[in-house]
Amino acid sequence: MSRNPYVPNTEEDRRAMLRVIGARSVDELFDDIPAQHRDPPLDLPPPLSEIELRRELSTLAARNRPAGEMPCFLGAGSYRHFIPAVVNHIISRGEFATPYTPYQPEVSQGTLQTIFEFQSLVCELTGMEVANAGMYDGASALAEACLMAASIAGRDRIALLSTAHPHCQDVVRTYAAGRGLGVDVMEPEAVALEGGHACLAVQQPNFFGYLEDARSLGEAARANGSLYVVAVDPISLGLFRPPGDYGADIVVAEGQPLGIPMSFGGPYVGLFATRERYLRRMPGRIVGRTRDSEGRTGYVLTLQAREQHIRRERATSNISSNEQLAALAVTVYLCALGPQGLRRVAEHCYRKSQFAAAAIASLPGYSLPLRGTFFKEFVVRCPRPPQTINAALLERGIIGGLDVSHRIENGMLLCVTEMNTRGEIDSLVAALEEIGR
């Protein structure tokens, strides 16, 4: 009997395949992996009964410090925003209980309609002309935008501002390496585009929460014949002008703030929108609305330029699947809030963060090292290492900010959203004052 009973190939099949490729054994195919790292023994504990397993998992889960159980001022890419109950109610319905993109459009009209509504809302939110069905997350959306720009411009370098989220920068480098593209990271005040740069990619607000001079950066990109790629916080668009108004060619965003809870590793969803002239260069898939021969409205998968559908060399990307359930959550969230509701959320974020920053900056030993307009995140220079400050905050039942002292001496990135009450902000300020003495 085979060592792997679930693999249908017989020994004779394997020998035939190895003979064709000229290998003596299966192990020979893995010669590049040092022998000590092949099939290492798994140091697993003995099996548990169901009740024992439940206890074990409960114990592990209790080690978490969920943001909802205590005041949380941690953002840096994943944010705690209010999620109306209708969001979870809708996405829990049986007909939507799959995260997967439909491959049988004719029997998935409801799902296709929600994708169409999602695309329409993303266009309205970003001020762009076309949007796709969504990407895996904001970071992969940014990377795909850079690859798309390189394809359109026929150039082989990507310019990326240093103030973009460092994790997103890593994802862009990873994607670019696979295509043989170079990545140049530039300071916002020293952008020096050259003829080989396909795009200038900017995060707005940036990783530290502050607004970049988006119009000037866009002009610099256009003057160089480069595309302008903007990664936005979608909540900020309830208050600030959309990128479409200041000349962005491609707009991406992490959709998590729009109705998706914070979680380690997702699932999240990337928003991706561009100009109509670039429609056929866009990765992912697009749902369109049409009418059938009897005049009834119908929804169809209109474009899907993935390598499995067209010739590999003409594919825009190998992405076609989208995290549809997460995209549906975004759709319900935006419909439930409407433009006025989103503006109210954005106003709360802006005003509360300004209040918190001013209060903290007035404390002895604390200051705001960065200048400019910020939305809901800001950097505080602490009198002690942020790691020490955060540990002391946690002892007081408060989740502090992200330690960014590798970029700004004793810097802590704090986030304030509409979920933080005046009492929570006052408690944070009082705790920081006590810890800083």
Side-chain angles (χ1 to χ4, degrees):
M1 187 176 186
S2 168
R3 287 188 305 166
N4 304 301
Y6 299 106
V7 178
N9 300 325
T10 65
E11 288 298 329
E12 184 177 349
D13 293 334
R14 292 193 184 92
R15 282 195 294 272
M17 288 187 286
L18 290 169
R19 190 164 54 248
V20 169
I21 63 176
R24 288 167 296 183
S25 67
V26 173
D27 288 341
E28 188 178 324
L29 302 178
F30 298 95
D31 277 350
D32 290 337
I33 303 174
Q36 65 270 28
H37 297 306
R38 293 183 222 157
D39 297 324
L42 298 178
D43 184 19
L44 296 176
L48 302 175
S49 67
E50 181 176 345
I51 190 170
E52 290 171 330
L53 181 61
R54 284 175 180 265
R55 288 193 186 116
E56 175 69 11
L57 293 179
S58 296
T59 301
L60 292 174
R63 294 169 59 185
N64 289 324
R65 302 293 180 91
E69 292 185 2
M70 60 180 70
C72 175
F73 297 93
L74 182 62
S78 181
Y79 302 100
R80 184 172 176 241
H81 287 286
F82 178 70
I83 301 175
V86 66
V87 174
N88 286 333
H89 177 77
I90 295 295
I91 68 173
S92 299
R93 290 177 62 94
E95 57 266 45
F96 294 127
T98 172
Y100 209 62
T101 313
Y103 275 98
Q104 299 295 330
E106 68 277 12
V107 295
S108 306
Q109 284 295 300
T111 299
L112 289 175
Q113 181 176 354
T114 65
I115 295 176
F116 180 82
E117 300 293 348
F118 170 80
Q119 295 169 177
S120 303
L121 289 164
V122 171
C123 287
E124 186 174 348
L125 188 66
T126 59
M128 302 301 282
E129 295 161 350
V130 293
N132 69 13
M135 312 292 285
Y136 293 136
D137 55 25
S140 61
L142 176 60
E144 290 281 355
C146 293
L147 298 192
M148 174 178 155
S151 174
I152 293 171
R155 300 178 178 182
D156 61 0
R157 300 203 71 78
I158 295 165
L160 181 63
L161 284 199
S162 64
T163 49
H165 196 300
H167 293 174
C168 294
Q169 292 187 39
D170 289 343
V171 174
V172 171
R173 289 192 189 91
T174 301
Y175 273 58
R179 294 283 185 94
L181 303 175
V183 178
D184 298 316
V185 178
M186 302 178 179
E187 298 300 322
E189 62 278 6
V191 171
L193 297 174
E194 299 176 353
H197 286 124
C199 67
L200 173 63
V202 175
Q203 181 176 332
Q204 179 78 327
N206 64 30
F207 172 62
F208 301 109
Y210 288 75
L211 296 182
E212 300 284 7
D213 185 356
R215 183 171 292 282
S216 296
L217 291 167
E219 290 172 353
R222 282 189 292 277
N224 191 58
S226 307
L227 274 74
Y228 189 28
V229 177
V230 181
V232 293
D233 177 341
I235 294 288
S236 73
L237 299 181
L239 193 59
F240 301 127
R241 295 177 62 193
D245 281 9
Y246 50 80
D249 294 295
I250 307 173
V251 180
V252 299
E254 171 52 67
Q256 179 270 325
L258 306 176
I260 300 171
M262 302 170 75
S263 59
F264 186 75
Y268 288 171
V269 59
L271 314 186
F272 196 110
T274 186
R275 303 289 179 185
E276 187 175 1
R277 58 182 176 273
Y278 302 133
L279 174 65
R280 292 183 177 276
R281 314 302 287 270
M282 190 162 54
R285 55 179 55 189
I286 301 168
V287 171
R289 183 172 62 189
T290 186
R291 291 187 180 279
D292 67 10
S293 59
E294 299 178 4
R296 296 174 301 184
T297 298
Y299 297 89
V300 295
L301 284 174
T302 305
L303 284 175
Q304 39 189 342
R306 188 193 188 194
E307 61 190 25
Q308 76 182 65
H309 299 294
I310 62 177
R311 285 185 295 173
R312 177 183 294 269
E313 64 272 17
R314 300 192 64 180
T316 56
S317 168
N318 66 1
I319 283 185
S320 73
S321 299
N322 68 307
E323 293 174 303
Q324 173 51 30
L325 204 62
L328 176 60
V330 169
T331 306
V332 179
Y333 176 90
L334 289 173
C335 289
L337 266 68
Q340 292 305 316
L342 188 64
R343 181 180 177 87
R344 289 287 303 275
V345 172
E347 287 177 343
H348 277 293
C349 293
Y350 179 78
R351 291 173 179 168
K352 289 185 174 184
S353 61
Q354 306 296 315
F355 172 79
I360 295 171
S362 69
L363 299 176
Y366 293 89
S367 63
L368 304 181
L370 302 180
R371 293 289 177 266
T373 302
F374 59 87
F375 174 51
K376 66 184 180 188
E377 292 179 279
F378 53 95
V379 178
V380 171
R381 177 169 284 137
C382 304
R384 301 168 63 185
Q387 184 177 8
T388 305
I389 300 276
N390 275 333
L393 285 174
L394 201 56
E395 290 175 358
R396 291 163 173 77
I398 298 173
I399 298 175
L402 182 71
D403 184 349
V404 292
S405 52
H406 64 291
R407 296 286 298 272
I408 298 171
E409 184 181 4
N410 279 353
M412 177 188 288
L413 179 62
L414 288 166
C415 176
V416 181
T417 74
E418 81 279 11
M419 297 297 284
N420 295 112
T421 64
R422 169 65 184 269
E424 290 180 356
I425 297 172
D426 288 344
S427 296
L428 172 68
V429 174
L432 290 175
E433 182 178 23
E434 181 183 355
I435 297 166
R437 288 173 186 159

